[in-house]
Amino acid sequence: MTTKQKEREEKALKSKRQPIWPEKELPDWRELLTAPSEKAEEIMQGLSLREQLTLILQAPWEVRERLIVLSPQAERLVKALPPQEFFWTVKAVSPEEAVTLLSMATPLQLQFLFDLDCWRKDQLVLERALAWLTLLFEASEDVVARWLKQVDFEFLVTLMKRLVEVYKRPDGVDLTEARDWLPPYTLDDLYFVNFRLDKFEPLARRLIEILMEFDQPRYRDLMESIIWELPAEIEELAYRWRRARLADWGIPDYYEAVDIYAPTTPDHLRRIEPTYLPAPEEEETPPPAFLPAIQTEGVDFLAEAISRVRDYRQIERLKRELAWLVNKVLIVDIGTIDDIEEARKVFDKVAGYLNIGLEYLAHGQIEAAVKILETYFLEDIFRLAQKLITDLRRYANEIITQEGLDSRIFRHLDEPYASYLKGVTAKDANRIMLFQPEKVGTAEEFRFFRRLEEIERVRRMLSEIAYWAPLIQKAFGTPPVWLAELALKKTNLLEPADIRWSTLVLTSLGNWLTEKEFRFEAIVQGKWPEVISKLLTKHPGSNRSVVREKVKEETFANFKKLAREIAPVEEDHLKSFLDLCFFRAEEEFAFADEKDIPDPRYVQCMLIELKDAKE
């Protein structure tokens, strides 16, 4: 096992992600992976094929190949995987593991793989098709032969026209004479082939040879089609057949899927009619595709509501709707799937939006949530959550574009306000994200919303921004006035981005402590020791310096007075941002005092003019 495989499995074992529909009576897949191989194989042998399949579908894609090979019915298990699940599993595992799975795949699974992964909108992506063909050859030429005999003919023609040119020896022309002007490669002295791509000539050559060996009529049809079919027309026909096949599997076309992001409201939710519920299924019907693989975390309300749905017809309906919903979002959000982690984020997004929609409609009441799941379409619940989230973006844009306000002041927002605003002002409605301050600098710094509380939290942050923006402009003017201090003086801060709203407040506070004027102007260096002396005091019981309570109270009182001139006073908003300003000062000057004055050249939270006060 390679190092990457070990890391991937260790991550899966440590993950807290859980399937939305867990089968509690089955063994935990983690136990199988950590148990001795003999014990794991014994446990798998004690399960029926259906139980083994359900267990595998509950496990993360990355570890499925290891679980499959524990079974004496490994090939039957692979062939029983729904095509979608086979696709995700092959995409997630290593190339070596993928070859093992491809060697046991059905033609239908392989066709689905090429349909889903080798097209960008209505055009075939040759590089992707060749990558999969390379893996098929590594599996075995028998696998390639099965694929050639079953693959959609129009797709095969479209692919081969990109790889070869075919010329047919005219009737009545001697073979020796024809060889003088026809390409040298031929299998039957009738069709002569020129290879377009030298790098892939061996692969294209073997495809033709295998097809000739196993299915001569199909070989002749292919040669004739390469000669006579127009590239654009045959590709269009292949695309139409591809769309039809994917639609049969519940995967819509992009233009059909995009309506998933059309917001809706509670009074427009569609009710489920009894006739819509699925009919009873046979005992041996395999589990619905996709669903056990949707593993997520942080959606406890949704998971609890689903676990309380008892009507099997409702459960099957919900599974099918969820599969359809996930497919729509996948097609719109990522289209061509390059990174399995991107797909996993889409699954998290769908579960999160459903969790939000349920929380909103049920007001946190779990029994009401169960009733909602049984009454309304999941797609409408998703679109309701989309409405709540796009409302955040609309509110943010209203703040930024409000009349009489210079929008440039928002470039100088402090964190975390700036990142909260950035997350919800995404250009595309399907890219609105939640900022996570505790994950700054990681890949999870921004993620999709999962809970109603997160929407409310961001709305509070936006409300504070909306409240403070006019105050900042009234107290300190517009950004060109602030930046003049950088341009005209030698200061500790060098870049415009270094000036934040808290910089304006704290710098003005420093001037007020020394000059009794609350104005934004670089503090002269000679006054810096006095600023520190009047601003800070030692916290009782510790060696850390804090902003004096009297200074905090007077600052709050002054801004409260200013706020009355603009709008009704919101004391919570005033206090929240001022506390952030004081926190910045206390963090930077935690161990400063009048005996240990910080070097003004390296101060970050205030603007200081680096010259003597006498100059």
Side-chain angles (χ1 to χ4, degrees):
M1 185 184 297
T2 66
T3 303
K4 287 186 177 180
Q5 286 175 277
K6 289 182 179 179
E7 291 176 354
R8 198 166 59 244
E9 289 192 7
E10 288 175 2
K11 183 178 179 180
L13 287 168
K14 294 177 181 178
S15 174
K16 297 180 181 179
R17 303 166 70 89
Q18 294 291 333
I20 290 182
W21 268 281
E23 296 288 343
K24 297 179 181 179
E25 68 274 9
L26 294 177
D28 190 330
W29 58 267
R30 294 179 179 84
E31 295 177 5
L32 288 176
L33 290 180
T34 54
S37 58
E38 296 82 2
K39 179 65 174 177
E41 290 174 3
E42 181 182 342
I43 294 173
M44 284 292 279
Q45 289 177 12
L47 301 175
S48 67
L49 181 66
R50 182 181 176 86
E51 289 172 335
Q52 291 181 31
L53 180 61
T54 303
L55 173 64
I56 288 166
L57 289 174
Q58 288 191 54
W61 303 308
E62 295 89 343
V63 300
R64 285 184 179 177
E65 191 268 349
R66 277 197 63 199
L67 291 171
I68 288 171
V69 298
L70 291 174
S71 171
Q73 305 181 77
E75 185 167 352
R76 289 187 65 193
L77 277 175
V78 172
K79 294 182 184 303
L81 286 173
Q84 297 101 318
E85 292 295 348
F86 177 82
F87 170 79
W88 292 114
T89 303
V90 172
K91 288 283 286 187
V93 301
S94 68
E96 296 81 6
E97 293 170 324
V99 167
T100 301
L101 297 173
L102 290 169
S103 67
M104 296 183 277
T106 66
L108 181 63
Q109 290 169 331
L110 295 179
Q111 180 68 66
F112 183 88
L113 187 153
F114 280 88
D115 281 342
L116 194 58
D117 204 45
C118 298
W119 292 82
R120 184 172 289 113
K121 293 192 176 177
D122 59 351
Q123 294 187 339
L124 176 68
V125 181
L126 180 62
E127 296 78 9
R128 288 181 176 274
L130 293 174
W132 286 115
L133 281 173
T134 301
L135 289 177
L136 290 185
F137 272 107
E138 289 187 26
S140 76
E141 290 196 350
D142 286 341
V143 175
V144 177
R146 292 201 304 270
W147 176 78
L148 282 170
K149 292 175 70 174
Q150 298 291 331
V151 69
D152 176 68
F153 186 72
E154 285 74 20
F155 174 84
L156 183 59
V157 175
T158 302
L159 172 65
M160 294 305 295
K161 282 183 76 70
R162 300 276 192 92
L163 297 175
V164 302
E165 295 174 304
V166 176
Y167 301 89
K168 188 175 182 180
R169 178 166 62 90
D171 295 337
V173 175
D174 182 72
L175 178 61
T176 303
E177 178 185 347
R179 287 186 182 278
D180 292 337
W181 53 274
L182 289 172
Y185 181 81
T186 181
L187 293 177
D188 55 5
D189 295 334
L190 179 62
Y191 298 105
F192 293 77
V193 180
N194 179 52
F195 298 94
R196 295 176 180 270
L197 303 174
D198 293 341
K199 180 179 179 181
F200 294 101
E201 178 179 340
L203 184 147
R205 186 189 294 256
R206 282 304 295 152
L207 286 174
I208 295 172
E209 292 168 352
I210 292 170
L211 187 59
M212 173 70 168
E213 179 181 353
F214 286 93
D215 194 338
Q216 291 188 20
R218 192 170 174 87
Y219 160 79
R220 289 192 296 270
D221 290 343
L222 177 63
M223 294 296 105
E224 291 290 335
S225 295
I226 294 174
I227 294 171
W228 298 108
E229 296 289 354
L230 295 175
E233 291 183 0
I234 194 66
E235 186 172 29
E236 170 65 19
L237 186 57
Y239 174 68
R240 289 182 183 179
W241 283 115
R242 177 237 184 198
R243 280 184 59 185
R245 287 190 298 272
L246 291 181
D248 289 342
W249 285 104
I251 299 179
D253 176 73
Y254 174 85
Y255 301 102
E256 182 182 358
V258 74
D259 67 356
I260 191 62
Y261 285 107
T264 192
T265 55
D267 55 332
H268 285 86
L269 299 183
R270 295 167 295 169
R271 299 180 70 89
I272 300 294
E273 297 294 335
T275 54
Y276 178 77
L277 296 177
E281 296 184 341
E282 297 296 329
E283 180 63 25
E284 293 304 314
T285 301
F290 265 141
L291 297 173
I294 301 177
Q295 301 199 2
T296 189
E297 56 184 321
V299 291
D300 298 340
F301 192 75
L302 171 66
E304 177 64 21
I306 284 176
S307 71
R308 298 194 185 193
V309 177
R310 297 288 182 258
D311 187 336
Y312 75 91
R313 297 179 306 157
Q314 289 284 3
I315 292 173
E316 292 306 308
R317 175 190 70 80
L318 290 170
K319 287 181 177 181
R320 283 164 173 73
E321 283 190 23
L322 184 54
W324 176 249
L325 177 57
V326 166
N327 291 340
K328 274 192 165 186
V329 179
L330 276 170
I331 293 299
V332 175
D333 279 17
I334 59 179
T336 303
I337 300 156
D338 297 304
D339 185 353
I340 205 71
E341 285 303 318
E342 289 299 313
R344 186 170 278 118
K345 289 177 183 177
V346 168
F347 294 169
D348 288 345
K349 177 182 187 177
V350 170
Y353 278 34
L354 291 175
N355 194 70
I356 290 169
L358 270 186
E359 287 183 327
Y360 181 81
L361 291 169
H363 305 288
Q365 302 298 315
I366 196 68
E367 292 304 325
V370 174
K371 185 66 175 177
I372 290 166
L373 285 176
E374 295 177 340
T375 306
Y376 300 108
F377 289 96
L378 291 184
E379 181 173 318
D380 289 353
I381 298 174
F382 179 95
R383 291 171 55 203
L384 173 63
Q386 174 69 8
K387 170 71 164 56
L388 299 175
I389 291 167
T390 53
D391 282 349
L392 287 179
R393 185 176 69 164
R394 185 179 299 107
Y395 182 35
N397 288 331
E398 288 173 358
I399 294 169
I400 294 171
T401 58
Q402 62 182 292
E403 186 177 354
L405 201 60
D406 189 329
S407 62
R408 290 172 293 182
I409 69 173
F410 298 102
R411 301 175 188 172
H412 301 271
L413 268 171
D414 286 83
E415 294 294 351
Y417 296 96
S419 291
Y420 276 115
L421 185 64
K422 176 183 176 182
V424 299
T425 51
K427 179 181 179 181
D428 299 322
N430 61 329
R431 304 293 179 189
I432 300 172
M433 309 283 273
L434 169 70
F435 171 61
Q436 300 188 98
E438 69 279 6
K439 299 289 181 68
V440 169
T442 72
E444 299 178 4
E445 184 174 348
F446 291 90
R447 67 160 171 81
F448 293 113
F449 288 84
R450 294 178 186 166
R451 297 186 296 275
L452 189 60
E453 173 274 328
E454 295 168 347
I455 294 178
E456 294 168 350
R457 184 201 320 162
V458 174
R459 181 169 286 277
R460 286 195 300 270
M461 298 297 289
L462 295 177
S463 180
E464 285 188 32
I465 295 172
Y467 188 78
W468 268 93
L471 286 177
I472 292 294
Q473 181 165 299
K474 184 171 180 61
F476 308 114
T478 57
V481 177
W482 318 339
L483 300 182
E485 290 291 301
L486 292 183
L488 301 176
K489 298 177 182 178
K490 179 183 178 182
T491 62
N492 58 319
L493 303 181
L494 303 177
E495 300 294 333
D498 294 334
I499 296 182
R500 302 290 180 182
W501 288 9
S502 62
T503 313
L504 303 174
V505 173
L506 292 172
T507 302
S508 301
L509 179 58
N511 283 316
W512 178 73
L513 291 173
T514 57
E515 305 289 341
K516 293 303 177 184
E517 289 187 42
F518 194 84
R519 69 181 187 278
F520 178 70
E521 183 178 319
I523 300 168
V524 294
Q525 188 170 340
K527 294 286 186 178
W528 179 236
E530 184 181 352
V531 171
I532 292 296
S533 176
K534 291 183 176 181
L535 178 68
L536 303 174
T537 186
K538 289 295 180 182
H539 186 277
S542 75
N543 196 38
R544 293 178 65 91
S545 295
V546 295
V547 177
R548 297 175 184 272
E549 284 301 319
K550 183 178 180 182
V551 172
K552 291 182 179 180
E553 292 170 2
E554 291 179 348
T555 305
F556 179 79
N558 287 335
F559 271 102
K560 186 175 179 179
K561 180 179 179 181
L562 179 65
R564 287 196 185 98
E565 300 177 14
I566 301 175
V569 174
E570 296 282 351
E571 294 194 3
D572 288 345
H573 288 347
L574 285 174
K575 188 175 185 304
S576 178
F577 179 69
L578 288 177
D579 283 347
L580 175 69
C581 296
F582 298 139
F583 175 77
R584 282 197 64 187
E586 291 173 346
E587 283 293 294
E588 186 166 355
F589 305 139
F591 302 103
D593 56 33
E594 57 189 9
K595 297 179 181 179
D596 188 7
I597 304 297
D599 189 328
R601 292 175 297 173
Y602 307 118
V603 170
Q604 295 296 309
C605 68
M606 294 186 183
L607 186 67
I608 304 169
E609 185 177 2
L610 299 178
K611 63 179 182 179
D612 192 82
K614 296 179 181 179
E615 297 181 18

